[in-house]
Amino acid sequence: QVYLGLTWEWEFLENAFFDFGWGGTVHDGETAEVDPEKKALGCRVLFREAIDIGYRFQGQHGVMVHLDHISNAKLCDKNEGLESVGVRYGYRF
C-alpha cells in the first residue's frame, strides 16, 4: 500500500495532539473475492482516512495511537474496506 494525502494537526493541553488525514491509496491486495480469508477491496485505487492521538516529548519526539481506514466508497463491486490500528513513534524535523 502506498498512500498520499493531507493531514491536519491540532495541539491541545501542553504536548498532546490530534491528527486527521485524508487522501488516496494504491494497493496490491485482492480486488475480487478469491480467498475467503482475505478482504476483497474492489478497486486498486482507494480513499484513505486516518486519525492519530498522541503526545510529544523532548521537543521533537512523539508517540501516538493510530487508526486508518481504506475503502472505495462503494465505487466498485466489492467494498469490504481495511482498517489498521497501531502505535507509532514519530520524530519531527
Side-chain angles (χ1 to χ4, degrees), residues 6 11 17 32:
L6 298 173
E11 293 185 7
F17 63 92

Side-chain angles (χ1 to χ4, degrees), residues 33-68:
E33 189 173 322
V34 176
D35 181 349
E37 297 293 317
K38 295 183 178 179
K39 291 194 171 204
L41 298 173
C43 300
R44 190 69 50 210
V45 177
L46 305 172
F47 295 102
R48 178 180 180 272
E49 302 85 32
I51 59 172
D52 296 306
I53 187 161
Y55 183 78
R56 215 168 260 109
F57 57 97
Q58 295 182 353
Q60 296 167 303
H61 302 273
V63 176
M64 64 206 84
V65 175
H66 174 78
L67 167 68
D68 77 7

